[in-house]
Each structure stands twice: as C-alpha cells, then as structure tokens.
Amino acid sequence: MSSTRPEEPYAAVGPLQPGDGLIVVDVQHDFLPGGALGVPQGDEIVPALNRYIERFRERGLPVILTRDWHPPDHCSFHAAGGPWPPHCIAETPGAMFAPGLRIPADAIVLSKATTPEADAYSGFQRIGLADLLHARGCRRVFIGGLATDYCVKATVRDALAAGFDAVLLRDAVRAVNVAEDDGARAVADMLAAGARETTLDQLERRVP
C-alpha cells in the first residue's frame, strides 16, 4: 500500500475539525487472515484504526462502523450463484469485529446486506449513512478498513457521489488483490474520482 505520490496531497487534507467524521469499513473476523474471506495483512490496520478512533473521539467527532451482516442464504454466496463463499453471517463469530478494535460506547454501527436478495459493498447503500452524516453536520469523511479494492473503494466513491469530501486513510486499509495491483488501481480510481489521501502522522503534522 505504499505510494509514490509526493507528500503534498497528504498535508493538504488539513487537521481534524468540526464537520469531520470517521467511517471504519467492515473490519470483521471473516475479512482478517484466516477468515472466510481473509484480506492479506488485514489485521495490521487495527492499531492505526484505534489511533484514528481515539483522535476523533478526543475532538467529539462521530465514529461510524459498517459491517456485513448477512443471512445464511445471502445472494453473494456461491450457493446462490454469487462470487463469494459464505462470510459474515449475522450473529456468528465471523461477523464480529476484529479483536483489539477499540469501539467507543457511542460509536454508530450500521449493518449492511442484511436481506437475502440484496448485496451492498458500500456503507451508503440502503442503510441511511448519508442522512446520518448530514444530521451530525458532517461534510468531510475519513474512510479506512477492508478491503481497499472492494468495500472501501465503493464507500469512498459513494461518499463523493453524496456530496461529501472523502479522505482515504492510507495507513488503515489493505487490499484483497485478486488480480495483481487491484489495490493500487483502486486507490488511483478513488483519487481520480476526487478523493484525497492521508495518514495519521501527516494529518496531525503541525504546519508552522
């Protein structure tokens, strides 16, 4: 997930401020190494996400977590003609959030793809995320989680389409990379669509 882009785009994002919100995408057991749809090194993003969560809560900014919460007969599963093995079935261990992810008591958890007939890669599909963010005064959203080339990409693009400024957390995402460099292509796609990118160190860098 390294970038050859210069550091100016990171610094241009600026410090956290009122109107910002954090979206943590699908950091669940089944998407960690060893899970039903494990993302390589997916567990490595948990410490970075915890740092982001802490910074957002220190400033009283909203923290939102999305999760796949599928029925056993979900349309995305192989048995129903979908592309994926069964994963993140509601109320099972595979659907639980990653161990070590420090979820604040006041965090908002949104479940997606909860009916057999509809899939949802993005947190903005069918679960009212845009309305929730608007109600809390959010204009800019910082997005990390799993996986870069699927649900993170879809969430970033839908955030942009809904009129939010979207910032990709480059130190808090990992890619599936079914095809080589899918993750890099996904990042390029998000940036071309209008997203920006940052890391926590860059976000908090003080400009004299």
Side-chain angles (χ1 to χ4, degrees):
M1 297 303 301
S2 62
S3 173
T4 57
R5 295 168 60 86
E7 292 196 352
E8 284 78 2
Y10 294 113
V13 168
L16 294 178
Q17 58 193 352
D20 289 341
L22 174 65
I23 302 174
V24 177
V25 178
D26 299 2
V27 184
Q28 297 168 265
H29 277 272
D30 272 344
F31 297 132
L32 302 180
L37 272 175
V39 178
Q41 292 83 51
D43 53 332
E44 294 179 357
I45 68 172
V46 171
L49 286 171
N50 283 337
R51 291 175 65 205
Y52 280 109
I53 290 169
E54 181 179 358
R55 300 304 183 270
F56 273 74
R57 294 312 304 131
E58 286 172 349
R59 292 161 176 81
L61 301 172
V63 174
I64 299 160
L65 296 92
T66 67
R67 62 181 179 183
D68 278 359
W69 202 246
H70 299 317
D73 56 348
H74 192 250
C75 62
S76 71
F77 297 168
H78 290 324
W84 309 114
H87 63 278
C88 296
I89 296 173
E91 306 293 350
T92 68
M96 300 299 109
F97 288 116
L101 186 64
R102 296 197 291 270
I103 301 172
D106 60 349
I108 300 161
V109 176
L110 297 178
S111 301
K112 56 190 177 75
T114 61
T115 60
E117 68 279 359
D119 203 3
Y121 283 2
S122 166
F124 286 87
Q125 292 177 262
R126 305 182 185 91
I127 58 175
L129 178 53
D131 290 340
L132 185 153
L133 290 166
H134 285 306
R136 285 158 177 77
C138 291
R139 298 177 297 276
R140 182 171 65 164
V141 290
F142 292 74
I143 300 171
L146 301 172
T148 311
D149 36 354
Y150 289 94
C151 294
V152 169
K153 174 184 171 181
T155 300
V156 166
R157 290 190 62 93
D158 281 358
L160 293 167
F164 297 96
D165 291 331
V167 182
L168 177 68
L169 305 178
R170 287 297 300 273
D171 52 348
V173 293
R174 292 293 186 275
V176 177
N177 284 323
V178 170
E180 188 176 1
D181 292 331
D182 275 354
R185 282 190 290 269
V187 170
D189 178 85
M190 288 183 268
L191 298 179
R196 290 184 287 171
E197 55 185 352
T198 194
T199 66
L200 190 63
D201 289 343
Q202 293 285 348
L203 184 67
E204 295 189 333
R205 177 176 293 172
R206 295 186 180 275
V207 179

